[in-house]
Amino acid sequence: MEIEKIVLLVNNPASFNRFQLSSWHLQHLYIPRKLQDFDTIELEVLDLVANGNQTDSYVLTSNSVIITVAKQYRLVLVIDTSMSMKSTDGKVLSSIAFETACKTLRGLCQPFHITHSLTNKVTEINPKLVVTIIGDGCCDLHFRVFVHHQPVDVQNLLEIAEIVYCSITEFENETLDASKDTSYPTIELHTNIQQSNLRFLDLGLNALRLLPLDSLPIIIYITDGVSTTHGSSIPRELCRRVAKHYINFGIIQVGSGLGFTPTVSLGHIPNQEFMKFLADATAGFFLYSDDCPYIDETSTVPNIYHKIFSMKVNQLATVTDHDGIHKIDFGLKHRFDIHFN
């Protein structure tokens, strides 16, 4: 039977990258296998959904959706603290960004289980999350690390949220003072990155190197999408590093879920097309803060934050877009549509 979806548990995140996943995929592609033949030292099958009646032979095809999940994650959360985040969209954008960060962390900490569709085996996953949270003043202004190398779970989330909230308020006040002082020192990062739209990505990549390696990496950027350097060049090396190290990267945009409003972002136009392009270039994702709900804390199935941030979706099928142009889908399927038992 042709495999429709397969969920793999990464047993050794420290040595896992996209090349190992590609090797596993090519090793099994279009070759009939028994269920146990898909398990390796690195990857363990948690669920398999196939078309047709249950048999002893399953075929992995280019249409098969491969989802990887782990029990340990290292997360760098970069929050935009630039001046445009002081504007309002019902609430101050910086407050929406903080609320979105809290909802995201709460969702990622939620334990869940995955039930194997064929064997009914239940795998309980209680995610272990180590987090670094950074405030980025953007442009020439400085940044600050609010929380570093901090284990986060349901019990200590409220305490961490209070620390981050106080740190953001203090940092934003300092950023305001720094913007008025032309002699304020700036931070030197990689060449041509400080003045580009990708300084936050450089910060995230460097911060990931300081977190435990025995976990899958995640970088999340929460921003209003406003930048004074639209059209700047994109350092390809950063995008390659994201893809090479199998980093689940995403951008959450606040204040623009219903389109451009002149009163939001102080009249500046958010560069949504650049943010979406960057998500595509890094095989990541882009969504609005309006799409980030509070979770059902009683649920035991993977929630929206697990599907988007914790689970890496891969598919090698050739698909056709609305213009009839063929393209390769590398896993940018809408993850809200992924269902689990």
Side-chain angles (χ1 to χ4, degrees):
M1 289 193 301
E2 179 179 331
I3 296 175
E4 178 181 339
K5 178 191 72 176
I6 185 168
V7 182
L8 303 173
L9 175 65
V10 179
N11 290 319
N12 187 12
S15 61
F16 188 76
N17 54 47
R18 71 182 183 92
F19 299 109
Q20 288 184 329
L21 181 63
S22 298
S23 298
W24 178 91
H25 196 172
L26 294 175
Q27 180 182 356
H28 298 289
L29 192 62
Y30 292 110
I31 300 176
R33 303 281 192 186
K34 294 183 179 180
L35 184 60
Q36 61 270 22
D37 294 338
F38 291 104
D39 288 330
T40 65
I41 297 177
E42 298 287 345
L43 298 169
E44 175 186 350
V45 177
L46 299 185
D47 189 18
L48 188 150
V49 178
N51 298 321
N53 298 323
Q54 183 173 350
T55 64
D56 294 332
S57 180
Y58 302 92
V59 179
L60 190 70
T61 71
S62 59
N63 291 315
S64 302
V65 176
I66 302 174
I67 304 172
T68 54
V69 64
K71 295 183 179 181
Q72 301 91 22
Y73 293 92
R74 62 187 190 272
L75 165 65
V76 176
L77 180 61
V78 183
I79 302 176
D80 186 355
T81 58
S82 59
M83 291 302 301
S84 60
M85 293 290 286
K86 283 296 187 181
S87 56
T88 62
D89 184 20
K91 294 192 297 184
V92 178
L93 294 187
S94 58
S95 297
I96 299 176
F98 172 74
E99 181 182 1
T100 301
C102 292
K103 290 189 290 187
T104 301
L105 290 175
R106 180 61 184 87
L108 291 175
C109 292
Q110 178 75 8
F112 65 95
H113 72 258
I114 295 177
T115 303
H116 202 297
S117 302
L118 301 178
T119 65
N120 292 324
K121 177 184 176 181
V122 178
T123 303
E124 300 286 344
I125 297 181
N126 189 4
K128 295 182 179 179
L129 197 64
V130 179
V131 176
T132 291
I133 302 177
I134 303 173
D136 183 17
C138 298
C139 302
D140 289 333
L141 303 180
H142 58 315
F143 63 89
R144 176 166 299 176
V145 178
F146 301 142
V147 172
H148 175 58
H149 206 296
Q150 175 64 55
V152 177
D153 53 34
V154 177
Q155 285 71 32
N156 68 353
L157 181 58
L158 181 59
E159 178 183 353
I160 295 173
E162 292 177 353
I163 295 174
V164 173
Y165 180 80
C166 294
S167 299
I168 289 177
T169 302
E170 179 183 356
F171 180 60
E172 287 180 338
N173 292 334
E174 292 184 8
T175 301
L176 179 61
D177 295 337
S179 64
K180 300 176 182 178
D181 185 2
T182 58
S183 64
Y184 200 90
T186 59
I187 300 298
E188 300 238 350
L189 294 176
H190 290 173
T191 305
N192 297 327
I193 291 180
Q194 183 178 348
Q195 296 293 335
S196 78
N197 288 319
L198 293 187
R199 191 179 84 159
F200 71 87
L201 187 53
D202 191 48
L203 291 172
L205 288 168
N206 288 328
L208 277 178
R209 297 168 59 186
L210 303 177
L211 296 178
L213 296 179
D214 59 341
S215 54
L216 288 187
I218 306 172
I219 297 178
I220 302 173
Y221 183 44
I222 303 179
T223 179
D224 60 353
V226 173
S227 173
T228 59
T229 56
H230 292 335
S232 61
S233 62
I234 299 177
R236 297 182 179 180
E237 183 264 343
L238 290 181
C239 296
R240 290 194 185 105
R241 285 167 61 188
V242 172
K244 176 181 178 180
H245 297 290
Y246 204 66
I247 297 173
N248 212 2
F249 168 72
I251 300 173
I252 303 177
Q253 186 168 344
V254 299
S256 301
L258 299 179
F260 172 66
T261 304
T263 57
V264 179
S265 301
L266 301 179
H268 297 289
I269 299 177
N271 196 350
Q272 295 175 337
E273 295 305 318
F274 174 81
M275 295 297 174
K276 293 178 180 179
F277 169 77
L278 182 58
D280 285 345
T282 55
F285 56 88
F286 173 92
L287 71 159
Y288 297 105
S289 59
D290 293 343
D291 296 325
C292 299
Y294 288 99
I295 66 167
D296 179 6
E297 299 182 6
T298 62
S299 175
T300 58
V301 298
N303 59 51
I304 181 176
Y305 302 101
H306 295 140
K307 295 177 182 179
I308 296 178
F309 299 98
S310 301
M311 299 179 177
K312 192 80 168 178
V313 181
N314 302 269
Q315 187 181 22
L316 296 179
T318 302
V319 297
T320 304
D321 63 13
H322 62 280
D323 295 322
I325 301 175
H326 286 83
K327 61 182 180 180
I328 301 297
D329 185 350
F330 287 104
L332 299 178
K333 293 171 65 64
H334 204 281
R335 303 181 192 187
F336 297 89
D337 296 331
I338 300 174
H339 301 286
F340 294 88
N341 293 328

